[in-house]
Amino acid sequence: MGRAESLEGKMSTQDPSDLWSRSDGDVELLQDLGWYHGNLTRHAAEALLLSNGCDGSYLLRDSNERIGLYSLSVRAKDSVKHFHVEYTGYSFKFGFNEFSSLKDFVKHFANQPLIGSETGTLIVLKHPYPKKVEEPSIYESVRVHTAMQTGRSENDLVPTAPSLGTKEGYLTKQGGLVKTWKTRWFTLHRNELKYFKDQMSPEPIRILDLTECSAVQFDYSQERVNCFCLVFPFRTFYLCAKTGVEADEWIKILRWKLKQIKSRCGFGPLRRHHVC
């Protein structure tokens, strides 16, 4: 008996409202949740929410870390944040709350909860992003199709895409000429790290191109804690987070960005002859 048949059998012998209140069928019932996207990747979730969602849009997907762990992906203005949702076998844990059934978990989201991340961002969960979206059946007609004799083969068709990992939050930055420390609002999107005077400022003070960054590492040379630095040819930027956990999160995602950049631009051992 397949999984769909098993689920159908359960639902045919029990009252639906009673089943949604039970915990033993919750994992299977996730399949019927309109905003549960299954094994959608982090990359695809960010692409969906950034291109089609709006501030407060969210979806639930499987986490790639382990079975029973899910990710709630939420759009917060121009970035996407990811939060863990854990299924213990009898309850759902999200943030400081624990829900005894999927029904209670969904009801919590129906009330548009406000959540806050460690970076200080407050997000109202307003719009569940549906798994099934109606798409127009409209296609362009090919008018010109000419093969260019470039000498390239199928081995040269290496798929690449800009990394979509995003992050934002307040960091304290050391000045370049005057070595004073000021708190700035930072946003990380694609390969750009921008910093603003504050969260409400429309224009960034500066945009740092991460393709020019050679290293990101913890720094202990400053008389401050939770500091890290970004090394550029023209300058080393010193930044401090409020907590060690937050500093570690920034370092991890920035290092991941640099790794993606190097792999695309041909700095890796297998692609050293490619030019970015």
Side-chain angles (χ1 to χ4, degrees), residues 143-155:
R143 298 302 184 189
V144 178
H145 187 184
T146 303
M148 306 298 290
Q149 301 302 320
T150 61
R152 294 166 65 87
S153 69
E154 65 274 11
N155 295 328

Side-chain angles (χ1 to χ4, degrees), residues 169-185:
Y170 279 106
L171 293 170
T172 304
K173 185 186 75 69
Q174 187 186 63
L177 297 177
V178 182
K179 303 300 181 181
T180 55
W181 294 84
K182 294 184 178 180
T183 300
R184 300 296 186 214
W185 178 257

Side-chain angles (χ1 to χ4, degrees), residues 60-209:
L60 186 69
R61 59 185 178 85
D62 296 338
S63 172
N64 60 358
E65 295 183 11
R66 60 179 172 84
I67 297 175
L69 195 62
Y70 301 90
S71 294
L72 184 75
S73 300
V74 186
R75 175 166 174 176
K77 294 186 178 179
D78 294 326
S79 69
V80 176
K81 297 185 178 297
H82 307 271
F83 304 91
H84 275 150
V85 176
E86 182 182 4
Y87 179 63
T88 64
Y90 54 86
S91 66
F92 288 88
K93 290 184 177 181
F94 175 61
F96 298 107
N97 295 328
E98 186 170 359
F99 306 91
S100 59
S101 69
L102 182 63
K103 181 180 180 180
D104 292 337
F105 178 71
V106 174
K107 184 178 180 180
H108 175 72
F109 283 85
N111 291 315
Q112 296 190 351
L114 172 71
I115 61 175
S117 67
E118 291 182 346
T119 59
T121 302
L122 295 176
I123 314 166
V124 178
L125 302 180
K126 299 178 183 177
H127 314 290
Y129 192 92
K131 182 177 181 179
K132 296 181 179 180
V133 179
E134 184 178 352
E135 299 179 355
S137 182
I138 301 172
Y139 300 88
E140 296 283 336
S141 298
V142 177
R143 298 302 184 189
V144 178
H145 187 184
T146 303
M148 306 298 290
Q149 301 302 320
T150 61
R152 294 166 65 87
S153 69
E154 65 274 11
N155 295 328
D156 297 304
L157 296 177
V158 180
T160 61
S163 57
L164 291 176
T166 60
K167 188 171 177 58
E168 61 183 16
Y170 279 106
L171 293 170
T172 304
K173 185 186 75 69
Q174 187 186 63
L177 297 177
V178 182
K179 303 300 181 181
T180 55
W181 294 84
K182 294 184 178 180
T183 300
R184 300 296 186 214
W185 178 257
F186 282 77
T187 64
L188 175 62
H189 186 244
R190 292 185 180 266
N191 294 330
E192 293 183 338
L193 181 65
K194 302 178 182 179
Y195 60 88
F196 303 74
K197 182 178 180 180
D198 53 48
Q199 189 175 358
M200 304 306 296
S201 299
E203 297 296 330
I205 297 174
R206 187 166 187 170
I207 302 175
L208 299 177
D209 184 355

